[in-house]
Amino acid sequence: METSLPPVGAVDADHLAPGAPLVLARNVQKHFGAVKVLKGIDLAVQKGEVLCIIGPSGSGKSTFLRCINQLERIDGGALFVSGERVGFRQVGNQLHELDDKAIARQRRSIGMVFQRFNLFPHLTATQNIIEGPVQVLKQPAAQARERAHALLERVGLADKRDAYPSQLSGGQQQRVAIARSLAMQPELLLFDEPTSALDPELVAEVLLVMRDLALTGMTMIVVTHELGFARDVGHRVAFMDQGQIVELGPSQAILTEPKEARTRAFIKAVRH
Amino acid sequence: MNTDPDNLVIVPRRHYGRLIGAALVLLALAAIVHAFVVGQIEWSYVGRFLTVRTIMEGLANTIVMAILAMVLGLALGVLFAIMRLSANPVLSTTALGYIWFFRAIPVLLQLLLWYNLALVFPTIGIPGIASWKTVDAMTPFVAALLGLGIQQGAFTAEVVRAGLLSVDQGQYEAAQTLGMTRLQLLRRIIMPQAMRVIVPPVGNEFIGMVKLTSLASVVQFAEVLHSAQSIYYANSRVIELLLVAAFWYLIVVTVLSLIQGRVEAYFERGVARSPGR
Ligand SMILES: Nc1ncnc2c1ncn2[C@@H]1O[C@H](COP(=O)(O)OP(=O)(O)OP(=O)(O)O)[C@@H](O)[C@H]1O
Ligand SMILES: [Mg+2]
């Protein structure tokens, strides 16, 4: 399916208009020391869209995701989520850097699922899930626990409520991690190679949960090497190389008849 | 000769080395016990003074001081460890200075400095709000608590810092992603995991602290060694009373070691270990 998008690099007012993109990146740049890792990313992601990002190792996919929820700070350009400028507050014609508290607040509505799960090992599955709602959103514990159990059921782990992460398989841990993100009722979910650390037979169970999530209309940006998932679940695919988006379009088109030679070469390499 | 491989007799491995070692150790122990029995020690005095009031009060003071100084040390240690790892250069440099200074000065010297603070500052307090004469404020108890607690904080800060650094970076990121502030994530996510690394050395330091309290006798704090001394100044039963004090240190440290094991087990939860550990 095609979603209609404003032209990349649209002016400021565009992202405030109704139907504006949930995520808008304009000329986003990031460097580590002298190494330019993101060389001007322009991108708009609509509400309810699933965007898959593919590309070779070191092309800046993780860095871009991490900029969106401020695990990294951008060095140039602008990022907007829900029309709010990421990391800054606009006062007149000045941009004020946000303090710790305000950054934490912006992160609340953005969930992230990591390659290495990063569950809290000293907490059970349920405790992992209620930690954010109770500590950050100040939900009553009983209500949060009820929701956590429902989420565990949704990811097929109703019987693992009281298991510690060390007692779960990789696939089960990743599903708990997804439930943990969902408990915050995010507007946007970021996935950074969520199945790359899994044994091949466990990949499918995680991808199924992600597909169901996409069907509920969750906005998702998914960095992945699973081209099948990108084709079947992703609405659009972006191919990144050397800190730039080389090609962006409907997933079917990008994956079956890429225009750029680099994209073609990458897809061919991953398929084999 | 029976060579049927199914009918061979198993002879357990003989640990001759262990047997010889055990014999030597027992022999040495017997010699030491014998020496103390025939030595000039009136064991009846040891028994008689073991539970006298002065000793009991000294013991209570030792335990209370060890706990309070350790609590102060832990609080300062956590505070300065977090400051040291802060991105704020003012905080991290302050922490570095504190750790540098209070680790460098010998404990005995620090105790004497606190106790004699009145020589430098005749009065202390908050200007314009309250002030006290330092001689009155700096009782043996206060001097001992400050001297022991503050230096302990410098050592504990390094232990806590090692613990914080032992927690995987992904844990910080996962907690940040949930929208936790720095203090929230340290308290809820990082510290509980760091405790696994922190508890064993802190238990060790606590045991050290129990024994360090004996130094507080130089500032007239009536801990158990000070009590024993005050008795033998009167009756000259020096060795007997030192043995009384030694007995109580052994008891306190033994109890602490047992508690340490329990605490360690608590913070191991969620961590898979092979059963043969
Ligand atoms: N904290 C950092 N300090 C210095 N360089 C970094 C840092 N993080 C990433 N880089 C560099 O930035 C580049 C992009 O890294 P990034 O992790 O975004 O790539 P990626 O596309 O996610 O790759 P992969 O598929 O291997 O995960 C790499 O060259 C990497 O070495
Ligand atoms: Mg990556």
Side-chain angles (χ1 to χ4, degrees):
Chain A
M1 68 178 266
E2 250 289 37
T3 33
S4 66
L5 292 165
V8 161
V11 285
D12 252 31
D14 276 7
H15 68 264
L16 295 170
L22 185 69
V23 181
L24 180 65
R26 285 214 325 258
N27 192 26
V28 168
Q29 300 180 30
K30 173 76 194 171
H31 43 82
F32 292 108
V35 187
K36 277 200 172 284
V37 177
L38 298 180
K39 303 171 186 164
I41 302 286
D42 288 304
L43 184 69
V45 180
Q46 296 296 339
K47 203 164 174 45
E49 184 181 1
V50 177
L51 173 78
C52 292
I53 303 181
I54 60 172
S57 180
S59 56
K61 308 180 297 292
S62 299
T63 305
F64 179 61
L65 279 195
R66 293 162 60 82
C67 286
I68 295 176
N69 70 353
Q70 303 182 67
L71 292 176
E72 306 285 357
R73 198 150 50 143
I74 63 176
D75 299 312
L79 258 174
F80 300 87
V81 175
S82 316
E84 230 186 282
R85 182 141 184 162
V86 170
F88 295 93
R89 191 163 37 92
Q90 191 166 350
V91 182
N93 57 359
Q94 291 179 319
L95 284 179
H96 291 241
E97 257 184 52
L98 294 181
D99 59 15
D100 253 13
K101 258 221 172 85
I103 292 175
R105 174 174 285 280
Q106 282 194 337
R107 284 190 182 123
R108 280 183 201 176
S109 58
I110 305 171
M112 184 149 185
V113 176
F114 300 88
Q115 184 174 356
R116 304 224 47 94
F117 329 134
N118 295 346
L119 288 181
F120 306 131
H122 60 301
L123 302 178
T124 63
T126 303
Q127 289 169 337
N128 262 278
I129 296 171
I130 68 172
E131 186 67 14
V134 172
Q135 298 300 322
V136 178
L137 303 179
K138 310 293 178 200
Q139 281 178 14
Q143 181 196 326
R145 204 168 298 119
E146 216 167 280
R147 284 213 53 215
H149 291 157
L151 284 169
L152 280 172
E153 191 157 341
R154 185 164 155 196
V155 298
L157 291 172
D159 54 335
K160 299 292 183 186
R161 291 175 177 186
D162 299 320
Y164 283 100
S166 59
Q167 299 163 329
L168 299 174
S169 75
Q172 292 170 335
Q173 288 189 55
Q174 193 61 298
R175 285 186 280 155
V176 173
I178 293 173
R180 178 175 68 179
S181 301
L182 289 175
M184 295 295 289
Q185 295 177 290
E187 287 185 273
L188 169 68
L189 267 186
L190 309 173
F191 294 82
D192 191 0
E193 302 199 31
T195 58
S196 301
L198 298 177
D199 293 336
E201 74 272 21
L202 302 179
V203 168
E205 65 186 48
V206 172
L207 291 182
L208 274 178
V209 167
M210 290 170 60
R211 189 203 62 189
D212 290 347
L213 205 52
L215 291 177
T216 67
M218 174 64 74
T219 315
M220 296 160 60
I221 303 181
V222 185
V223 172
T224 185
H225 291 304
E226 297 292 334
L227 299 186
F229 177 86
R231 185 193 58 224
D232 300 339
V233 181
H235 300 140
R236 287 190 303 159
V237 169
F239 172 69
M240 267 183 86
D241 192 21
Q242 299 184 6
Q244 282 170 322
I245 293 182
V246 176
E247 196 167 354
L248 171 70
S251 42
Q252 196 68 31
I254 298 282
L255 293 171
T256 53
E257 45 207 47
K259 294 194 180 65
E260 300 286 329
R262 275 190 281 177
T263 317
R264 224 173 297 136
F266 175 78
I267 290 172
K268 202 169 158 215
V270 173
R271 283 257 158 80
H272 290 106
Chain B
M1 201 169 138
N2 182 5
T3 50
D4 174 3
D6 291 333
N7 273 325
L8 299 178
V9 180
I10 293 170
V11 180
R13 192 173 142 197
R14 301 252 156 77
H15 297 282
Y16 296 112
R18 290 185 197 175
L19 290 177
I20 296 170
L24 286 176
V25 169
L26 284 178
L27 210 65
L29 263 181
I32 292 169
V33 169
H34 179 255
F36 272 86
V37 170
V38 301
Q40 309 254 329
I41 298 170
E42 284 288 348
W43 286 98
S44 62
Y45 273 94
V46 177
R48 179 147 19 117
F49 282 101
L50 203 56
T51 54
V52 296
R53 196 186 164 86
T54 316
I55 292 291
M56 287 295 100
E57 283 170 0
L59 178 62
N61 282 340
T62 292
I63 294 172
V64 168
M65 178 56 68
I67 291 174
L68 289 182
M70 201 61 202
V71 167
L72 179 60
L74 270 173
L76 291 172
V78 170
L79 177 71
F80 282 99
I82 290 173
M83 281 170 63
R84 173 109 200 255
L85 292 176
S86 164
N88 179 337
V90 178
L91 295 182
S92 60
T93 311
T94 306
L96 204 64
Y98 163 82
I99 293 167
W100 166 75
F101 185 82
F102 286 100
R103 277 204 309 184
I105 312 288
V107 187
L108 188 55
L109 205 159
Q110 286 188 47
L111 285 166
L112 290 169
L113 278 178
W114 285 110
Y115 194 51
N116 293 304
L117 201 66
L119 300 178
V120 199
F121 308 107
T123 61
I124 49 173
I126 309 152
I129 297 176
S131 83
W132 297 271
K133 285 181 80 172
T134 308
V135 195
D136 299 335
M138 204 48 77
T139 60
F141 176 84
V142 173
L145 180 60
L146 291 179
L148 295 173
I150 291 176
Q151 66 85 32
Q152 185 60 49
F155 284 93
T156 309
E158 289 297 273
V159 172
V160 174
R161 186 170 68 98
L164 294 177
L165 290 176
S166 75
V167 178
D168 184 67
Q169 181 66 23
Q171 294 291 307
Y172 286 85
E173 294 183 355
Q176 282 177 321
T177 301
L178 290 178
M180 290 191 170
T181 60
R182 184 160 170 80
L183 282 183
Q184 255 178 340
L185 76 88
L186 283 173
R187 186 170 59 85
R188 297 284 312 175
I189 305 300
I190 306 303
M191 271 312 266
Q193 296 183 57
M195 288 305 273
R196 254 172 19 89
V197 174
I198 293 172
V199 168
V202 163
N204 199 32
E205 304 243 315
F206 200 167
I207 287 167
M209 176 60 81
V210 170
K211 297 181 296 172
L212 270 187
T213 53
S214 63
L215 290 182
S217 56
V218 299
V219 295
Q220 307 308 317
F221 181 68
E223 44 70 52
V224 72
L225 181 59
H226 187 269
S227 305
Q229 286 175 320
S230 67
I231 297 175
Y232 72 61
Y233 288 145
N235 70 4
S236 301
R237 290 290 169 187
V238 179
I239 290 294
E240 287 81 356
L241 279 146
L242 289 179
L243 287 177
V244 166
F247 171 81
W248 284 117
Y249 282 116
L250 267 179
I251 296 296
V252 173
V253 169
T254 305
V255 171
L256 274 180
S257 307
L258 295 177
I259 295 174
Q260 185 187 349
R262 291 286 182 84
V263 177
E264 280 178 29
Y266 174 78
F267 284 108
E268 289 281 343
R269 73 194 191 284
V271 179
R273 279 282 174 89
S274 58
R277 120 171 142 104

